[in-house]
Amino acid sequence: MTATHTATPGKTARRIGLVLYVLVIAFLLFDAVFHILNLQQVKDSSIDLGLREEMAPITGIVMLIILILYAIPTTSILGAIVLTGYLGGAVLTNWRVEKPLLSTVFFAIYVGIAAWAALYLRDERVRSIIPLRRTLPSDSTDR
């Protein structure tokens, strides 16, 4: 049998996690505010995606609620789960209208990976849920 363990990230990894965390929140906060304000560019983009322009403020409010959940440490995992679902909708919406795959469609996936990486690097609870393990040499007593 092979022994495994979940490594605790060092100080640099936790700092990288904090930077990712702030960047994800800042980016999505700007996006939410622009949707709530229902700027003309947001209206045009909504129509281009096949959505009604009056949906933008509602999606902005939903994103703001998700961000609050993600930003509060006690609800951050729930926030990341709900954010993942929201971003999945963005992937499908962009893919449906044949936006560029790597730059536009997958951008929501990149944001989701950054959101989860930020939590993984900063939060022991996330590392216990998603244990990336390193296999250690087997001990002769395990045989």
Side-chain angles (χ1 to χ4, degrees), residues 24-25 28-29 32 62-72:
V24 167
I25 290 174
L28 294 175
L29 182 61
V62 168
M63 175 50 67
L64 205 53
I65 293 167
I66 293 169
L67 278 175
I68 291 168
L69 289 173
Y70 182 72
I72 298 171

Side-chain angles (χ1 to χ4, degrees), residues 3-75:
T4 60
H5 82 285
T6 303
T8 303
K11 193 175 188 177
T12 301
R14 286 192 302 272
R15 285 183 180 161
I16 291 169
L18 180 60
V19 168
L20 284 173
Y21 183 71
V22 169
L23 288 174
V24 167
I25 290 174
F27 172 75
L28 294 175
L29 182 61
F30 281 118
D31 188 55
V33 169
F34 289 159
H35 278 79
I36 291 169
L37 295 175
N38 206 15
L39 302 174
Q40 188 60 47
Q41 183 179 1
V42 172
K43 291 178 185 181
D44 295 343
S45 294
S46 295
I47 292 168
D48 186 41
L49 292 171
L51 305 172
R52 295 186 321 272
E53 65 181 58
E54 65 269 10
M55 294 173 72
I58 296 167
T59 59
I61 291 168
V62 168
M63 175 50 67
L64 205 53
I65 293 167
I66 293 169
L67 278 175
I68 291 168
L69 289 173
Y70 182 72
I72 298 171
T74 55
T75 59

